[in-house]
């Protein structure tokens, strides 16, 4: 838009000065986050045996129902 305004200043100014509600478009400012290391945790394999699932249910029942 700045290039068009540079080449045709009268036309661009007449568009934006004609209507006060229209604001001249500007490029948005991007806030760049500071660099820092991200902590990560390696997950264990998912145990999906029936005994493991039943054990989890037993623990959850003891916590929430007792």
């Amino acid at each position: 838009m700045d290039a068009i305004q540079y080449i045709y200043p009268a036309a661009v100014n007449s568009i934006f000065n004609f209507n006060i509600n229209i604001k001249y478009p500007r490029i948005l400012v991007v806030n760049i986050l500071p660099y820092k290391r991200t902590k990560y945790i390696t997950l264990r394999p998912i145990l999906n045996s029936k005994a493991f699932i039943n054990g989890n249910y037993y623990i959850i029942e003891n916590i929430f129902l007792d």
Side-chain angles (χ1 to χ4, degrees):
M1 186 71 176
D2 289 335
I4 295 172
Q5 185 183 20
Y6 180 76
I7 295 173
Y8 305 105
V12 172
N13 288 335
S14 68
I15 292 171
F16 290 103
N17 290 334
F18 177 73
N19 189 345
I20 296 175
N21 295 329
I22 299 175
K23 295 184 178 178
Y24 185 75
R26 300 277 181 215
I27 295 176
L28 298 175
V29 176
V30 178
N31 293 327
I32 299 175
L33 297 174
Y35 169 79
K36 67 180 198 180
R37 289 199 177 265
T38 304
K39 293 177 85 175
Y40 68 93
I41 300 171
T42 304
L43 299 176
R44 295 183 352 213
I46 298 172
L47 302 174
N48 59 358
S49 67
K50 189 170 183 174
F52 182 76
I53 293 171
N54 288 340
N56 282 343
Y57 283 136
Y58 178 74
I59 292 170
I60 291 171
E61 286 176 357
N62 283 336
I63 292 172
F64 292 110
L65 297 179
D66 287 343

